[in-house]
Amino acid sequence: MNKIYVSLLISFFALNCFAQKPVNWPAGKVIQELQKLKVFGSVLYIAAHPDDENTRLLAYLANEKKLRTGYLSLTRGDGGQNLIGDEMGISLGLIRTQELLSARRIDGAEQFFTRAYDFGYSKTPVETLQKWGHDKILSDVVWIIRKFQPDIIITRFPTTGEGGHGHHTASAILATEAFTAAADSTRFASQFQYGVKPWQARRLLWNTFNFGSTNTQREDQFKLDCGGYNPVLGKSYGEIASESRSQHKSQGFGVAAQRGEQLEYFATLAGDKPQQDLMDGINTYSNRVFGGSYGAAVDQIMNEYNPIMPGKSVPKLVALFSLINKQPDGNYKSLKLNAVQNLIEACSGLFIEAVAGHQLNVPGDSMKLTITLNDRLGLPLENVSGRYNDIDFTMPKVEKNINSTVVKNFFIPLKTNITQPYWLEQKMSEGSYTVNDQRLIGNPENINPVVNIRATLYGEQFNFKTPVMYKYTDPVKGELYEPMAIAEPVFIQSAPSIVILKNNDQITQTELTYSLQPNITLSGKTQFNHHINSNPVEIISDTTNHPAGQSYQIKIKVNAKDILPNSINTFNGSLANPGLYENQYFNLRKILHDHIPDIFYNYLDMGTILKIDLKTVGSRAGYIVGAGDKVPEALREMGYQVDLLQEKDMTVENLEKYDVIISGVRAYNIHTWLSKSYNALMKYVYNGGVLVTQYNTNNSIGPVKAKIAPYDFTISRTRVTNENADVTFLLPNNPVLNYPNKISEKDFEGWIQERSIYHAEKQDPAYEMPLSMHDAGEAPQPGSLLVAKYGKGKYVYTGLVFFRELPAAVPGAFRLFANIIAKPKS
């Protein structure tokens, strides 16, 4: 793959170049931004994950105090769980990145990330920093501090462990170290070649909390009320915070609005303790940076602003822009120039958009681009021209409230960079992404290709940047804007994702299918390579023309004898053609959810062939889909016919045809109708069926409100996070460890991320617990697997993370799962 990101205007200040639709500011927003022009102070909030941030505090700092406010989330939340789909890992991280950006657009803060990967729950900061790479992530925090230049740094968690999660504690440790290291010219000195300088924040604070049984707030700590009401915005900060936090939909974090006094407490970790205000001792007025008449000019604009006639403020805003331009270069000069230009665009009523004719555009083809400018208030725009991708073009005459439109076709050279989240360009290490361009580190997402509209307004030259978007009209949702992407010339999809060859099968061959979708016409000789374990084993050539947009398939027969037994074998395809810049390997994944923009990323679609000793019992499974997982696909590869069950299917008569019924992860948390299905499910088990319940949570996010089992137990928050933790067989003769597959310690090798979550406890004596496991330094935990006889059947609750292990093709997980879902011997 080419270098993937589009590196345009790489800057923390190019905030309007990220992918989002054109924004029209109401008068309240204009007033708010005018007020911010007078404030010269900044706060950086640091924690570990999306949804760790205190949205009420961020909203208060950004909108009441008018401070530049940032949230640095060390990870993108890749290792979390997902309540809205089956995306996990990097796909989930991409979703949660956009959820954070949506939250920041509401509460007014900015968003940053390090290269740290959320590898799942960690119980110690030692493990966390070892996997992330302590110095690597510390350098990222230092870089972002030097770029952002905060006066105050606030951590969500302490260094002493009260935050629970090892990632939480590690975020505080790194923030504390970075507070000092950012000011040390000998630390990470290679960063200085990119224009940053050592930076010393005034103080480091810990935003203490009262979470459940953990109360770290003390009356001797500095406190402030963040629950006030903003009459300009028409909302209290508790209301803004609830809207912001509710953007974390993948985590089920919708919350009710809060009103009234809301106190926040702060412990001082470094620097002097605030007495009257968080910004005690810090000059937040314009004379901190700018001399002359800046403050008076801003006051005059604010006093004269008329929301009925906002255009009358534009001449003085232009004069303010010129005044700032004469100031010495620095962080605040860039920030205030950008802020004033945004106000000019808002007050002038300018509408600018650049719309691509297709969402996906391909190197070697042309892209239709429609650029529209509307001077809705009729301001004196002169010398209007445009520029895209180093190509200049003229705009038609600009008249009041008349669309000035240019439609141009731009050829996309073959060597054009493919759109890819910049942190996915290179192969990642175990616990962090690989990003080699220092200037990209910290950015929340790629900076989109932009169209520059250049114009003279009241004698000053402006360059208005607008991201290139794709626009369409949905009959229900109306006009929608989505990101435009540069796509690979060919997509290669491998199927199935997992193939299981059982050692005792008589099958001598299996068929793999490659679906190829050319996005440009392939002519001449096309050569397709089929790879097993990265080695080309079959080459297929043809000279057929393959038109753009018409998919075709290549089927490959694989001999079972050529597959390594008791191991994971991978397969993928590649394609070469004279019309392509380089060989093609990748497929495109598109993530669609209504609350975030469309997300695209390229990946090597590598399937897996397992040749293992696997025996199964039964042939038909009913699956109750939960929050989203890929277990049904794995069951089909094991040889089961899988039916996805809905509420209407939950009758005794219908259920009796299934050998096993399995509920997906968190099914009881999200389907209230399962409480009405209890009697039918228990009757099914009593008559000889097998019912398997995968993990559910029992907390405020998703409490279990239904009975789920024939005998009582409680769902705890106990988990075993070390995927290599030793497993003890407490009941080695239990059928679940012996039938139809003999389970051994080897079956727990190669697991990923974790062993188990949300163990059962306080269980009825009717349950047997065949397994025990634990993380280092902890007592044995036996609640990962509960098995009970009920009538003629079998009930199982398991916190073992099959939803991770089966899609990852872990051989032992398939063997153990086959035993769990097997009907007992007669």
Side-chain angles (χ1 to χ4, degrees):
M1 186 184 290
N2 312 353
K3 280 192 173 181
I4 306 219
Y5 52 83
V6 180
S7 178
L8 290 171
L9 302 171
I10 298 173
S11 166
F12 276 15
F13 312 126
L15 302 177
N16 60 337
C17 297
F18 295 121
Q20 53 183 290
K21 68 180 182 180
V23 177
N24 297 308
W25 285 359
K29 173 68 172 175
V30 172
I31 293 171
Q32 189 80 4
E33 294 305 310
L34 285 171
Q35 292 172 343
K36 287 184 178 182
L37 290 179
K38 293 200 67 177
V39 180
F40 287 68
S42 56
V43 178
L44 183 63
Y45 199 89
I46 299 178
H49 309 108
D51 73 38
D52 283 346
E53 76 275 23
N54 184 337
T55 53
R56 183 172 56 241
L57 179 60
L58 294 182
Y60 171 84
L61 294 173
N63 298 287
E64 177 68 23
K65 304 300 288 184
K66 312 295 189 295
L67 298 166
R68 185 187 183 203
T69 305
Y71 174 46
L72 170 56
S73 175
L74 298 196
T75 76
R76 297 176 182 269
D78 329 74
Q81 293 146 35
N82 185 359
L83 279 179
I84 62 173
D86 62 7
E87 299 92 350
M88 293 189 292
I90 61 173
S91 296
L92 180 57
L94 288 163
I95 291 172
R96 298 186 72 183
T97 293
Q98 291 301 323
E99 289 178 339
L100 268 182
L101 288 170
S102 180
R104 296 295 80 81
R105 286 190 285 270
I106 291 169
D107 60 37
E110 300 170 40
Q111 185 61 54
F112 307 107
F113 295 96
T114 73
R115 290 173 288 180
Y117 178 74
D118 179 356
F119 56 83
Y121 192 89
S122 173
K123 294 181 178 177
T124 71
V126 174
E127 178 197 37
T128 297
L129 294 172
Q130 184 273 324
K131 285 193 174 183
W132 283 351
H134 173 279
D135 286 359
K136 179 177 181 178
I137 305 307
L138 176 61
S139 75
D140 290 357
V141 180
V142 167
W143 165 255
I144 292 162
I145 290 172
R146 287 170 173 171
K147 288 283 288 185
F148 189 79
Q149 298 182 5
D151 296 304
I152 295 175
I153 298 172
I154 302 175
T155 70
R156 168 81 281 191
F157 303 105
T159 60
T160 46
E162 291 91 335
H165 199 317
H167 295 184
H168 294 168
T169 306
S171 72
I173 291 171
L174 291 173
T176 302
E177 294 180 8
F179 176 80
T180 302
D184 187 341
S185 62
T186 67
R187 301 294 302 277
F188 310 110
S190 63
Q191 296 177 358
F192 299 137
Q193 64 184 298
Y194 299 102
V196 299
K197 297 178 180 179
W199 180 260
Q200 180 63 71
R202 175 68 179 252
R203 59 180 60 95
L204 174 67
L205 305 174
W206 164 32
N207 180 200
T208 59
F209 50 78
N210 185 356
F211 296 157
S213 61
T214 305
N215 184 4
T216 62
Q217 296 174 346
R218 304 287 183 268
E219 284 306 312
D220 61 346
Q221 296 168 353
F222 178 79
K223 59 180 179 289
L224 59 84
D225 177 13
C226 293
Y229 174 73
N230 188 314
V232 173
L233 299 179
K235 296 176 182 177
S236 68
Y237 300 116
E239 291 170 314
I240 296 171
S242 71
E243 292 180 26
S244 174
R245 189 158 186 78
S246 295
Q247 300 310 302
H248 297 294
K249 300 184 189 302
S250 66
Q251 305 306 295
F253 273 15
V255 294
Q258 294 182 330
R259 300 165 189 87
E261 182 183 67
Q262 297 289 331
L263 295 179
E264 294 292 341
Y265 291 74
F266 302 86
T268 302
L269 302 180
D272 58 333
K273 180 179 179 180
Q275 301 298 322
Q276 303 298 323
D277 189 272
L278 281 178
M279 304 297 285
D280 275 353
I282 299 167
N283 181 3
T284 60
Y285 296 100
S286 61
N287 61 9
R288 171 183 182 176
V289 179
F290 297 156
S293 57
Y294 174 88
V298 174
D299 284 338
Q300 185 177 15
I301 294 169
M302 290 171 56
N303 292 334
E304 296 178 359
Y305 173 71
N306 185 344
I308 305 300
M309 293 179 287
K312 289 197 170 184
S313 295
V314 173
K316 287 187 171 63
L317 283 168
V318 171
L320 181 63
F321 186 90
S322 301
L323 177 64
I324 298 171
N325 238 339
K326 296 173 184 176
Q327 302 296 323
D329 289 342
N331 199 28
Y332 276 108
K333 178 180 179 179
S334 301
L335 287 168
K336 298 304 182 184
L337 281 174
N338 186 70
V340 172
Q341 179 163 318
N342 287 340
L343 280 162
I344 290 169
E345 195 169 343
C347 290
S348 65
L350 284 179
F351 174 84
I352 306 172
E353 72 171 11
V355 175
H358 299 282
Q359 188 169 23
L360 297 181
N361 300 274
V362 185
D365 202 351
S366 61
M367 177 177 68
K368 178 183 176 182
L369 196 57
T370 302
I371 301 101
T372 301
L373 167 66
N374 190 314
D375 182 8
R376 291 178 288 192
L377 292 181
L379 270 70
L381 287 178
E382 300 175 310
N383 306 317
V384 181
S385 64
R387 183 177 179 85
Y388 173 70
N389 209 20
D390 298 326
I391 298 175
D392 294 315
F393 56 89
T394 58
M395 296 292 295
K397 182 180 178 181
V398 177
E399 301 180 75
K400 180 179 179 180
N401 205 27
I402 301 293
N403 286 339
S404 176
T405 301
V406 168
V407 180
K408 295 188 71 69
N409 288 308
F410 293 91
F411 179 73
I412 306 173
L414 281 173
K415 295 184 179 181
T416 299
N417 297 328
I418 303 302
T419 303
Q420 177 85 335
Y422 72 85
W423 59 97
L424 301 182
E425 179 190 353
Q426 305 291 335
K427 184 178 180 180
M428 66 180 293
S429 60
E430 179 189 14
S432 62
Y433 292 108
T434 301
V435 179
N436 294 324
D437 189 334
Q438 179 68 52
R439 297 166 298 172
L440 288 171
I441 294 170
N443 282 354
E445 59 179 339
N446 287 15
I447 298 174
N448 265 30
V450 297
V451 167
N452 295 289
I453 299 297
R454 296 171 294 195
T456 303
L457 181 61
Y458 296 113
E460 185 75 28
Q461 179 75 38
F462 288 94
N463 187 8
F464 298 105
K465 303 177 182 68
T466 187
V468 178
M469 303 291 287
Y470 171 67
K471 182 175 76 171
Y472 68 101
T473 302
D474 181 275
V476 175
K477 301 172 185 174
E479 183 178 78
L480 297 173
Y481 288 83
E482 296 291 352
M484 178 276 293
I486 305 297
E488 293 279 9
V490 181
F491 302 148
I492 303 177
Q493 180 182 13
S494 306
S497 58
I498 298 176
V499 177
I500 297 178
L501 299 176
K502 302 174 185 177
N503 286 345
N504 60 347
D505 275 354
Q506 300 304 308
I507 298 173
T508 58
Q509 284 188 328
T510 189
E511 186 174 75
L512 309 178
T513 301
Y514 293 101
S515 297
L516 290 85
Q517 180 183 321
N519 296 309
I520 59 173
T521 297
L522 299 178
S523 57
K525 182 180 178 181
T526 299
Q527 179 175 301
F528 179 82
N529 285 3
H530 161 62
H531 306 256
I532 294 285
N533 297 327
S534 301
N535 300 311
V537 295
E538 188 165 347
I539 300 174
I540 298 173
S541 299
D542 69 58
T543 55
T544 306
N545 283 353
H546 297 288
Q550 292 188 16
S551 298
Y552 67 103
Q553 292 186 335
I554 294 176
K555 294 186 180 294
I556 303 286
K557 297 286 187 181
V558 175
N559 294 319
K561 63 181 179 60
D562 295 331
I563 302 301
L564 298 174
N566 302 314
S567 62
I568 297 176
N569 300 264
T570 60
F571 64 92
N572 67 280
S574 65
L575 183 143
N577 180 274
L580 301 174
Y581 171 62
E582 59 186 359
N583 288 357
Q584 299 296 296
Y585 293 88
F586 296 93
N587 197 10
L588 183 73
R589 180 162 291 156
K590 183 176 183 179
I591 300 173
L592 297 175
H593 291 288
D594 284 347
H595 67 297
I596 56 175
D598 294 349
I599 300 170
F600 298 94
Y601 74 95
N602 301 278
Y603 69 105
L604 180 61
D605 194 358
M606 184 176 287
T608 302
I609 304 175
L610 292 180
K611 190 176 182 183
I612 57 176
D613 182 12
L614 176 67
K615 303 178 182 69
T616 56
V617 176
S619 60
R620 192 169 187 181
Y623 199 88
I624 304 167
V625 176
D629 61 62
K630 298 179 180 178
V631 173
E633 292 91 328
L635 284 166
R636 292 186 180 104
E637 289 305 317
M638 292 170 68
Y640 286 88
Q641 175 186 330
V642 180
D643 300 333
L644 303 182
L645 302 181
Q646 306 291 331
E647 181 178 6
K648 63 181 176 58
D649 302 313
M650 307 304 285
T651 65
V652 174
E653 296 74 22
N654 184 59
L655 298 179
E656 65 183 9
K657 64 189 176 188
Y658 295 106
D659 298 299
V660 61
I661 295 172
I662 306 163
S663 64
V665 298
R666 292 193 177 190
Y668 285 87
N669 294 135
I670 65 173
H671 296 313
T672 56
W673 53 262
L674 276 171
S675 63
K676 296 183 290 186
S677 305
Y678 176 77
N679 290 335
L681 287 168
M682 292 304 107
K683 185 70 171 176
Y684 160 79
V685 179
Y686 193 84
N687 290 340
V690 177
L691 176 61
V692 177
T693 303
Q694 295 181 84
Y695 90 90
N696 287 265
T697 63
N698 198 16
N699 54 37
S700 59
I701 296 174
V704 174
K705 297 179 180 178
K707 287 197 68 176
I708 66 176
Y711 312 111
D712 290 341
F713 64 87
T714 299
I715 297 174
S716 73
R717 295 185 63 81
T718 300
R719 58 174 74 198
V720 177
T721 62
N722 182 355
E723 65 271 28
N724 299 312
D726 290 339
V727 178
T728 301
F729 291 12
L730 299 177
L731 302 173
N733 296 322
N734 190 282
V736 82
L737 300 178
N738 292 277
Y739 176 77
N741 302 289
K742 180 67 175 177
I743 302 301
S744 70
E745 288 81 0
K746 188 173 179 61
D747 290 300
F748 289 92
E749 294 177 0
W751 285 46
I752 64 166
Q753 186 159 322
E754 54 199 346
R755 284 283 193 214
S756 59
I757 54 180
Y758 300 104
H759 285 199
E761 64 181 14
K762 300 178 183 178
Q763 68 283 350
D764 188 279
Y767 289 106
E768 296 179 314
M769 295 186 289
L771 300 176
S772 175
M773 57 193 71
H774 62 93
D775 285 319
E778 296 186 353
Q781 304 289 345
S784 65
L785 181 61
L786 266 63
V787 183
K789 295 178 182 178
Y790 184 62
K792 299 177 183 178
K794 178 175 74 173
Y795 174 81
V796 178
Y797 173 83
T798 183
L800 294 166
V801 289
F802 292 108
F803 73 99
R804 297 195 193 279
E805 310 308 322
L806 298 181
V810 176
F814 278 95
R815 287 166 41 81
L816 179 57
F817 198 65
N819 286 14
I820 288 172
I821 66 177
K823 276 193 172 184
K825 288 183 178 180
S826 302

